Amino acid sequence: MEDLLTRSVLAGNRLALARLLTQVENDSPAGRAALEELFPHTGKAHLIGVTGAPGTGKSSLVNQLALHYRKTDQKKVAVIAVDPSSPFTGGAVLGDRVRMRDLSGNDGVFIRSMASRGSVGGLAQMTAAFTQIFDAAGYEIVIVETVGAGQSEVDVARLAQTTIVVEAPGLGDDIQAIKAGILEIADVLVINKADRPGVEHTERALRSMLALAHPAPRVYRHHGQAMTVITPKVDQGLWIPPIVKTVATDGTGIAEVADSIARHAGHLRVSGEWASRDRARLGSELEAALEQALTRRFFQNIQKEKYNEMVEKVVRRALSPHEAVKVLLNGNSKQETV
Amino acid sequence: MTEKKIRVLVAKPGLDGHDRGAKVVARALRDAGMEVIYTGLRQTPEMIAEAALQEDVDVVGLSILSGAHMALAPRIVELLQANGQDRVKVFIGGIVPDEDMPRLKEMGITGIYGPGASTEDIIKDIREAMK
Ligand code: B12
Ligand SMILES: Nc1nc2c(ncn2[C@@H]2O[C@H](COP(=O)(O)OP(=O)(O)OP(=O)(O)O)[C@@H](O)[C@H]2O)c(=O)[nH]1
Ligand SMILES: [Mg+2]
């Protein structure tokens, strides 16, 4: 039996949705219970990650993209905008909404700002849970804007089905400056601020990186087999991230970005990668939960003294941590011999 | 369970471009450990109420130096209530003549601050209002 909060969220109540997000962000028992109830309703949304260096125009791009989705196919769009918490005070100024003014007054859009709260990647600990809530609440497109620094790309690429990496001219944009590994995670490369001088330079740098990046590993990743083709056709299952130039302040190039996202989603579905990513992500979530539960159960069943004794033995170097685990798990006889 | 953070929306309703005070206060609240959602300039009351709802804030802070507070503030309070956010506390900063204060307090504004107000007082008052 679903409780009131969950039912209100499923029924489209926006205040309930906002309050549930807070509950989940604070990891309250009510929030956890609701997440479980909502889980069967998840798995429908297209999660789009938007990452890139600070100030490249991520929020402005998200603003335009969401507008585009509302105008062209009336899809419900949720935006989760993550900004860093201060490591000293734990406080934060979340300013991404400043660039998303155009989305207000639109019932099909829900924007939520999120402080990273000590999480080191570009996402907060509860960002994934937020995407599940929006997914269950019927938002077909869920866009996550990361903190523009750190390991954000890797985290968001794991979470999202489609990852957009935003570059802008004038950020020291030669090959060396463009972060290594970006091609591993970018599904769509956007060069924003195309109205600024230096776009051609940024584009050239990105193109040569794309050309350098041997397609074989990507083929392997997508296909499970190595291929020798240098310029494979689209239907061979290789996705080469398109480069799209945009001016996020006036909307130039946004339709093209949306089109690239749609083609990428199509590619994931046809290649079977949509399903395999979903499986991998949920698999590791299950594993983490199992680990936690087993640890909790273990500590419920063991006497504190016995455990402390084992810690002592490890400290005296009488047992290695690994050996100690063996002993703890099966009450093994080696205990007597040491 | 994680410690509950105080979430504050800092907004500038109306048409004036004086945003220094809003930014100073936003930073001070961040340094006091609060999570501040900053909306930027030229927000309509509707935009502010909508942001307050989506962000599920505890406090709405309005910075108004245009003299239009008597038109803007009541409308925002009204919209917050209509949305079911009657527990949200509203604070105002900027240029508010003394004679307007009683009426603003009457309609449920929790705190009003003028030029030179100490951010420590503002922080203290917000914390107090959360109890
Ligand atoms: C700096 C300033 C400007 C700058 C603004 C720069 C900027 N980006 O902010 C510039 C030069 C652009 C400017 C322009 C104008 N200004 Co002017 N400006 C000032 C001035 C001198 C100081 C304001 C300031 O920044 N103070 C510093 C900050 C830190 O203080 P604060 O904003 O008051 O904030 C404190 C408190 O009010 C409170 N607070 C503020 N916001 C919030 C929010 C919350 C949530 C909380 C809790 C507290 C809080 O805490 C803060 C910390 O103490 C004031 C006079 C004054 N002494 O206030 C006039 C003043 C505000 N300006 C005025 C006017 C008329 C104008 C113009 C219309 C002038 C003109 N004819 O062109 C234009 C309008 C521009 C526009 N687009 O709106 C008048 C307003 C009159 C009124 N309301 O009745 C004032 C009062 C001057 C006067 N005495 O006539 N201005
Ligand atoms: N000239 C130009 N300016 C742009 C463009 N897109 C964004 N900007 C400006 O660039 C600045 C930063 O834009 P944001 O959208 O806030 O960038 P962001 O990447 O979200 O920034 P952070 O969240 O702080 O990392 C703003 O002043 C925008 O108006 C563009 O296409 N051309
Ligand atoms: Mg941003």
Side-chain angles (χ1 to χ4, degrees):
Chain A
M1 185 58 202
E2 286 156 355
D3 85 348
L4 183 61
L5 189 58
T6 316
R7 260 183 289 136
S8 307
V9 168
L10 289 173
N13 181 318
R14 290 158 75 86
L15 182 59
L17 173 57
R19 291 197 169 148
L20 176 58
L21 292 169
T22 306
Q23 294 287 337
V24 166
E25 189 169 33
N26 293 332
D27 198 20
S28 74
R32 262 177 270 154
L35 264 184
E36 274 161 36
E37 287 171 0
L38 288 176
F39 186 74
H41 302 274
T42 63
K44 290 166 292 204
H46 184 180
L47 309 189
I48 301 169
V50 178
T51 187
T56 46
K58 298 179 291 297
S59 301
S60 310
L61 188 81
V62 169
N63 176 52
Q64 293 287 351
L65 252 185
L67 267 185
H68 178 89
Y69 284 126
R70 290 304 299 158
K71 280 193 191 136
T72 55
D73 27 38
Q74 265 92 51
K75 280 187 178 147
K76 279 179 81 182
V77 185
V79 176
I80 304 169
V82 189
D83 272 322
S85 297
S86 155
F88 305 108
T89 66
V93 174
L94 313 172
D96 293 316
R97 283 192 92 97
V98 174
R99 309 279 165 226
M100 301 184 192
R101 291 172 51 99
D102 302 337
L103 300 176
S104 61
N106 202 323
D107 271 351
V109 179
F110 196 111
I111 308 169
R112 180 69 171 228
S113 313
M114 205 177 187
S116 63
R117 296 199 177 173
S119 176
V120 282
L123 304 178
Q125 204 186 343
M126 291 299 174
T127 304
F130 272 29
T131 65
Q132 289 186 346
I133 295 171
F134 281 123
D135 184 353
Y139 288 82
E140 294 139 295
I141 303 276
V142 180
I143 308 178
V144 179
E145 177 185 341
T146 71
V147 173
Q151 289 293 302
S152 49
E153 291 88 2
V154 185
D155 278 2
V156 78
R158 205 173 288 141
L159 177 65
Q161 278 113 10
T162 302
T163 303
I164 302 176
V165 175
V166 186
E167 298 280 343
L171 296 172
D173 38 17
D174 42 31
I175 298 186
Q176 285 86 340
I178 293 171
K179 270 199 217 160
I182 236 170
L183 295 179
E184 284 302 310
I185 61 104
D187 299 312
V188 179
L189 283 160
V190 168
I191 305 175
N192 187 41
K193 308 199 185 184
D195 54 328
R196 290 272 189 82
V199 218
E200 302 77 18
H201 188 73
T202 308
E203 189 178 1
R204 226 177 301 124
L206 280 176
R207 288 214 187 279
S208 53
M209 265 183 90
L210 271 180
L212 280 174
H214 23 268
R218 285 191 68 88
V219 176
Y220 185 77
R221 197 158 69 85
H222 286 298
H223 229 51
Q225 63 184 43
M227 292 171 94
T228 46
V229 239
I230 305 300
T231 46
K233 287 186 225 98
V234 183
D235 58 15
Q236 281 177 298
L238 171 64
W239 177 260
I240 297 176
I243 297 176
V244 187
K245 283 176 278 185
T246 61
V247 181
T249 37
D250 70 10
T252 306
I254 297 302
E256 226 185 314
V257 176
D259 180 59
S260 299
I261 293 170
R263 278 191 296 115
H264 183 250
H267 159 80
L268 290 178
R269 294 208 188 268
V270 170
S271 65
E273 208 185 326
W274 186 286
S276 62
R277 280 195 192 194
D278 198 43
R279 175 175 289 269
R281 197 162 48 84
L282 291 174
S284 53
E285 205 175 301
L286 175 64
E287 218 171 276
L290 184 63
E291 229 168 79
Q292 256 187 19
L294 285 176
T295 311
R296 205 180 311 126
R297 186 196 288 172
F298 172 81
F299 279 110
Q300 273 162 5
N301 293 337
I302 190 157
Q303 288 166 328
K304 219 174 166 201
E305 304 80 57
K306 197 170 167 220
Y307 182 75
N308 288 341
E309 214 176 282
M310 207 52 67
V311 174
E312 277 312 311
K313 283 185 181 162
V314 173
V315 171
R316 281 191 279 111
R317 305 304 196 265
L319 277 183
S320 79
H322 267 100
E323 288 168 323
V325 167
K326 271 191 212 152
V327 175
L328 283 168
L329 286 186
N330 48 31
N332 180 310
S333 57
K334 191 170 181 196
Q335 215 177 350
E336 273 77 46
T337 63
V338 284
Chain B
M1 182 168 158
T2 331
E3 154 210 19
K4 169 90 176 78
K5 290 268 174 208
I6 299 176
R7 280 171 73 85
V8 185
L9 187 79
V10 172
K12 274 210 56 73
L15 298 175
D16 75 293
H18 298 95
D19 60 357
R20 263 194 225 162
K23 286 181 171 163
V24 166
V25 170
R27 255 175 257 133
L29 299 184
R30 174 199 63 193
D31 294 341
M34 301 179 196
E35 291 181 353
V36 180
I37 296 103
Y38 182 64
T39 66
L41 297 170
R42 280 177 271 282
Q43 300 281 304
T44 64
E46 286 74 16
M47 286 167 141
I48 291 171
E50 183 186 34
L53 179 124
Q54 294 177 353
E55 302 289 354
D56 190 26
V57 292
D58 308 295
V59 174
V60 170
L62 306 171
S63 186
I64 313 176
L65 287 81
S66 64
H69 48 273
M70 293 312 278
L72 295 166
R75 178 78 185 129
I76 291 166
V77 171
E78 199 179 286
L79 288 168
L80 288 173
Q81 275 166 1
N83 285 345
Q85 289 198 294
D86 26 79
R87 281 176 305 182
V88 171
K89 306 286 185 209
V90 182
F91 288 74
I92 301 185
I95 309 289
V96 178
D98 289 346
E99 64 262 30
D100 291 341
M101 290 197 185
R103 284 223 9 238
L104 289 171
K105 292 257 163 135
E106 219 169 88
M107 64 178 69
I109 305 295
T110 307
I112 305 171
Y113 307 85
S118 113
T119 51
E120 269 142 55
D121 287 345
I122 296 172
I123 291 161
K124 189 164 63 60
D125 294 350
I126 291 180
R127 290 210 174 113
E128 193 59 39
M130 291 299 100
K131 281 181 186 159

